[in-house]
Amino acid sequence: ITVIVLYLTLTEIMKLIFRYVAMGMIVAIMMLTLWIYSLRHEIIIRDVNKKDGKVDGDDHNHNEGGFFKGLFDSLGLAKRQNGPIRLHPMVDRSVGNGFCGSGYFVDADTLACNPCSEGMFTLPPHVVSCKPLLSCEQIGDIIGVGVENLSEGGVKSLLKGKWKGVDVVIAKPKQPEDFKMGFDNLRLISPHQNVVPLLGFCEDPQILVFPYFHNGDGTKVDVIADKMNDPMQFKMQLVKDYVGILSYLHHEASGDVGGSFVMCDAVTPDKLLSQFMISNQYRLVLNDVDALPLAHGNSIKCGHHELAGDFVAPEQRWNKAPIPFDDAQLNPYSEKVDIWRVPETVEMLMGCSKPQLMQKKRHQRSKSDNTGFNQLDEKVCHIIRPYINLLKGKCKRLNPSERPSALWIASVVKKMSIVLDLQSRH
C-alpha cells in the first residue's frame, strides 16, 4: 500500500510539474509576441530617452565613429565603396536590365558590383569594364547622330541621345554661370552611388552627359509601386535613400572643406522629389544639383526672392507683412531648412500623405479588385504613423537649432524600416 501511495503521489507531482512547465512556455510565447508587437513604441521611447547623440542639437561630430558611423556604413553614405557593393534585392539581375548601376562594373567571377576609378564610367548594360569619360569629340558624335528635346529649364536645356545604343542625357547651358555652378557641385559631391554619375563633359562649348533614367523622377513613385510585387519594400528603400542622401550632403560630401550642402530648389514636395531620379535598380539618385549652396552655419539664402508656403521653413519666409519683401532684411539660414521638409517628404514617398490616401480610396471605389492593395497601404501607413509623428514633432520646431540632424532622422528611418518589416509579416 505504501508503494502504491508513493507511486500515485509522484505521478501527481510529475503531472503538476509538466503542467506548470507547459503554462510557463505558453506565457513566455505570449510575452514574446506582445514584445514584438510593441517594438515600434519601445524603439521610439528608447530613441528619445537614450538620445543617440544630441537629438536636438547640431550633430556634425557624430560621423566620427560609434553608432552613427555604423549607421553611415549601413546606409551606404561613404563617398564610394572601396570594395564591392551588395545589390538591392529588387535589382533585376539580367544584364540587359541593368545589373549594376552607372559607375560600377560586374566582376565576372563573383558577380559583385565594383566601383570604377575616378575619371571612368560604365553605363548599363555595358558594365563589363569601365571606360574613360566621353570626350568633346565623342559627345559631338552623339549629337551628330541625332537628339531630341527633353525639357527646357531656367539653367539648362536637356536633350536625349544615344551612346552605343543606350539612351543618355545631354545638358547644355542657358545660364552659363549657374550651369558651371551645378557642374562644380557635382564634382564636389561625386562619386556616390546615390548621386547622378557624369558620363562625359566638354568645357568649350559647355556640355555635360548623364545617364537617362527610364523610370522618371521621384514624383513617379506611386506609378512604379503599382507595378511592383512588393511596393512597400520599394517605397521604404526610397525613403532610406532620401535620408541617406540628406545625411551625406549635410555631414560628409564637403569633405575637408566642412559645411553642409543645402537643397535649395525644393519649395514644394513635388519640386523636391523632382530633384531625384529612380534608377533601373529602383534606387533614388540625386540628379539636379544646380541649386546646392554650401552652408557654414547661418550663411546661405535660397535665392533672393520671396518664398512662401508650409513646405518652406519659417526662417525662409518673410514675416514682416504688410511691409513689402526686402531680401536685405531677411537673415541667412542653415541646412536646417532641409530638416523642416523631411516629414512630408517621407509621407509622400511612402504614399501616406492625406491627398495620396484619399486618391487611393477613390480608386478603390472605382476598381473593387484593388481592395487588397488599399488595405496594405492603410496597414503600412498605420505602422509608420508613430514615426512620422515623431519626425514632425522634432523637425517642425520653429527654432532651427532645436531641429535634429539628418543623422538622427536616418536612425529613426532605419528603425522604422525594421519594425515595418517585422509587423508586415503578421
Side-chain angles (χ1 to χ4, degrees):
I1 294 173
T2 303
V3 171
I4 293 172
V5 170
L6 286 172
Y7 174 76
L8 292 174
T9 303
L10 288 172
T11 301
E12 290 299 320
I13 292 173
M14 293 299 293
K15 286 181 179 178
L16 287 172
I17 291 173
F18 282 121
R19 185 180 302 167
Y20 284 120
V21 168
M23 290 178 61
M25 291 178 65
I26 292 171
V27 170
I29 292 172
M30 290 176 63
M31 291 178 65
L32 179 61
T33 303
L34 289 171
W35 177 80
I36 291 174
Y37 273 96
S38 63
L39 185 62
R40 59 177 171 171
H41 304 292
E42 292 292 329
I43 289 175
I44 292 175
I45 293 170
R46 187 164 66 248
D47 279 346
V48 176
N49 290 341
K50 288 180 68 176
K51 298 182 185 292
D52 293 323
K54 295 192 298 180
V55 170
D56 300 325
D58 187 357
D59 297 328
H60 282 72
N61 59 339
H62 287 301
N63 57 2
E64 301 274 330
F67 173 82
F68 285 116
K69 184 181 185 299
L71 180 63
F72 260 73
D73 294 339
S74 67
L75 291 175
L77 301 183
K79 272 200 171 185
R80 176 59 64 93
Q81 307 278 352
N82 290 325
I85 63 169
R86 183 175 62 85
L87 290 175
H88 188 258
M90 287 185 296
V91 170
D92 189 335
R93 292 178 178 272
S94 63
V95 175
N97 286 293
F99 182 52
C100 292
S102 298
Y104 292 84
F105 69 95
V106 176
D107 187 298
D109 296 323
T110 64
L111 294 183
C113 292
N114 293 308
C116 293
S117 304
E118 187 174 353
M120 308 285 284
F121 80 96
T122 59
L123 183 61
H126 306 288
V127 291
V128 176
S129 61
C130 300
K131 300 183 181 299
L133 292 177
L134 299 176
S135 64
C136 293
E137 183 179 356
Q138 290 172 307
I139 295 172
D141 291 340
I142 295 173
I143 296 174
V145 171
V147 294
E148 61 180 273
N149 290 322
L150 284 177
S151 64
E152 294 281 341
V155 175
K156 57 185 178 289
S157 58
L158 300 179
L159 308 171
K160 181 180 175 183
K162 284 188 179 293
W163 176 79
K164 292 194 174 182
V166 183
D167 291 330
V168 294
V169 174
I170 297 168
K172 292 185 174 183
K174 293 180 71 176
Q175 297 287 341
E177 188 175 332
D178 292 338
F179 186 83
K180 184 180 182 303
M181 185 181 299
F183 183 31
D184 291 340
N185 287 338
L186 183 61
R187 287 192 288 191
L188 284 171
I189 66 176
S190 296
H192 187 277
Q193 60 184 351
N194 291 109
V195 175
V196 62
L198 185 67
L199 305 183
F201 69 94
C202 186
E203 294 185 356
D204 186 20
Q206 286 185 321
I207 300 176
L208 304 178
V209 183
F210 304 103
Y212 178 80
F213 296 96
H214 292 268
N215 289 325
D217 63 34
T219 63
K220 306 297 191 297
V221 172
D222 287 335
V223 175
I224 298 173
D226 286 342
K227 303 173 185 177
M228 289 281 185
N229 292 328
D230 191 349
M232 181 201 71
Q233 185 187 20
F234 164 65
K235 292 179 179 180
M236 192 67 245
Q237 182 60 54
L238 295 191
V239 169
K240 289 191 285 188
D241 285 340
Y242 163 62
V243 298
I245 292 168
L246 207 58
S247 299
Y248 172 67
L249 291 177
H250 287 189
H251 299 276
E252 284 286 297
S254 60
D256 296 336
V257 177
S260 303
F261 288 98
V262 182
M263 296 187 65
C264 270
D265 200 4
V267 293
T268 66
D270 281 346
K271 184 63 176 174
L272 186 148
L273 291 178
S274 70
Q275 308 300 299
F276 301 95
M277 304 301 287
I278 301 173
S279 73
N280 292 340
Q281 290 74 35
Y282 302 109
R283 301 297 295 268
L284 210 60
V285 175
L286 180 59
N287 183 65
D288 193 336
V289 297
D290 294 334
L292 208 67
L294 185 62
H296 295 271
N298 295 321
S299 62
I300 61 119
K301 289 183 182 180
C302 293
H304 300 283
H305 55 280
E306 185 174 3
L307 301 175
D310 294 337
F311 199 63
V312 175
E315 61 269 30
Q316 294 181 280
R317 304 177 206 155
W318 180 251
N319 57 7
K320 297 181 180 180
I323 301 173
F325 173 75
D326 182 0
D327 180 63
Q329 294 187 42
L330 187 69
N331 293 325
Y333 33 82
S334 71
E335 78 281 358
K336 296 296 183 179
V337 299
D338 281 338
I339 303 300
W340 175 271
R341 299 187 281 257
V342 167
E344 289 92 343
T345 308
V346 171
E347 267 189 327
M348 286 197 67
L349 286 171
M350 292 301 297
C352 293
S353 68
K354 288 183 179 179
Q356 287 171 308
L357 292 175
M358 289 176 63
Q359 183 177 358
K360 288 172 185 175
K361 286 181 179 179
R362 287 195 297 268
H363 189 65
Q364 178 183 355
R365 285 194 293 267
S366 64
K367 292 188 177 181
S368 58
D369 59 332
N370 281 342
T371 302
F373 289 100
N374 281 274
Q375 288 176 346
L376 175 62
D377 290 333
E378 290 180 2
K379 180 181 179 181
V380 167
C381 295
H382 176 73
I383 292 171
I384 69 171
R385 186 57 58 190
Y387 293 90
I388 298 294
N389 292 338
L390 175 62
L391 291 175
K392 286 182 177 178
K394 298 291 184 181
C395 299
K396 293 297 186 181
R397 293 188 174 180
L398 296 179
N399 186 343
S401 65
E402 294 179 358
R403 295 174 205 154
S405 71
L407 289 173
W408 180 84
I409 293 169
S411 73
V412 173
V413 166
K414 183 181 179 183
K415 291 172 183 176
M416 180 175 80
S417 174
I418 294 171
V419 172
L420 184 59
D421 185 54
L422 283 173
Q423 297 205 17
S424 64
R425 297 175 185 178
H426 296 282

